[in-house]
Amino acid sequence: MTIQRPSLDRAAELREEPDVLVRLRDDPTTRVVVVREGRVRVVDSALVRVAPDAVGAATWALLGRDADGTVLLLAAAPPETDALDTAPDEIWLGLRDLGGRIDGRESELLISAIALAGWLQDAAFCPTCGGETELRQAGWSRRCLVCGRQHFPRTDPAVIVAVESRDGERLLLGANANWGGRMFSCFAGFTEAGESLESTAYREIEEESGVRLSALRYVSSQPWPFPRSLMVGFRAVVDDESTARADGEEIIEVRWFTRAEIGSALAGDGPVGLPGPASIARALILDWYEDKA
Ligand SMILES: [Zn+2]
């Protein structure tokens, strides 16, 4: 898998300019992406950009620059705001609704907007002393007005792992209790305090599927702002295939799949369902499948 270059220019050099958000909101060339309750407006697979004076009450931040150099702001609108006119062909959609329907810059813009909007709305008070905070760095940090500490939008790492047999011919997937037993996917779990990503992978796989890993290789990652995860994707080789068993709690069944079975499932022809096109889980499964397909 090749490394994906960033497609969104975050214009980080503008964040230190005093009152930059005031200046940019007064600039008629600025455009704004409005996020409300984790949703954005979309027309024809592109996020709707509006002029700053079309936005009502909101918390503001700098998102970056569009392909043509236009500066993009984020307006995190409170749920009760209804001041925005919605054209009939515009719909408010969340990341889950949009999976696979937008890509590249729009996808990066969407995920950044939803993640930052979530932090702007949920983290108004200092986690150290509970004091009020003021936004800094064009919406990318907060300073506590009581104790003076600085706080930044957090990202919580989680690992997701595609586990293959020693000969590389079969893939071990699990059916999560939440998926009703028809869908199988890679194993995943959050990194705990003080844990490395490798240790997380080793521990989570053994807990959920009963197998120990003999090799682990980083593939790619995917931000997932619900509320603030970064999914770090690995491929791994199992040590002893015969120990595979579901933990019976989070994972209700584990199964080894042949390449032919995965090919059929990727095509939507059974025997089981696989994760959707926008997911890193599917990307990892594809990465394995295409090794020898
Ligand atoms: Zn404080």
Side-chain angles (χ1 to χ4, degrees), residues 125-133 143-149 151:
F125 296 95
C126 174
T128 306
C129 76
E132 270 193 73
T133 60
R143 199 184 70 88
C144 177
L145 295 171
V146 179
C147 75
R149 290 204 192 206
H151 303 286

Side-chain angles (χ1 to χ4, degrees), residues 200-273:
T200 309
Y202 195 94
R203 173 182 58 76
E204 279 287 345
I205 302 306
E206 189 171 5
E207 281 175 8
E208 292 188 352
S209 74
V211 300
R212 293 185 169 189
L213 304 179
S214 66
L216 188 67
R217 173 166 69 81
Y218 172 73
V219 179
S220 66
S221 66
Q222 180 182 52
W224 190 247
F226 301 107
R228 54 186 192 190
S229 306
L230 176 67
M231 306 295 297
V232 185
F234 292 90
R235 282 180 54 185
V237 180
V238 73
D239 186 39
D240 178 359
E241 292 162 38
S242 69
T243 62
R245 48 117 193 97
D247 67 10
E249 293 175 19
E250 203 172 332
I251 302 295
I252 53 175
E253 186 185 351
V254 297
R255 202 192 292 183
W256 286 101
F257 292 91
T258 64
R259 201 163 248 106
E261 285 172 326
I262 292 295
S264 170
L266 284 168
D269 296 330
V272 295

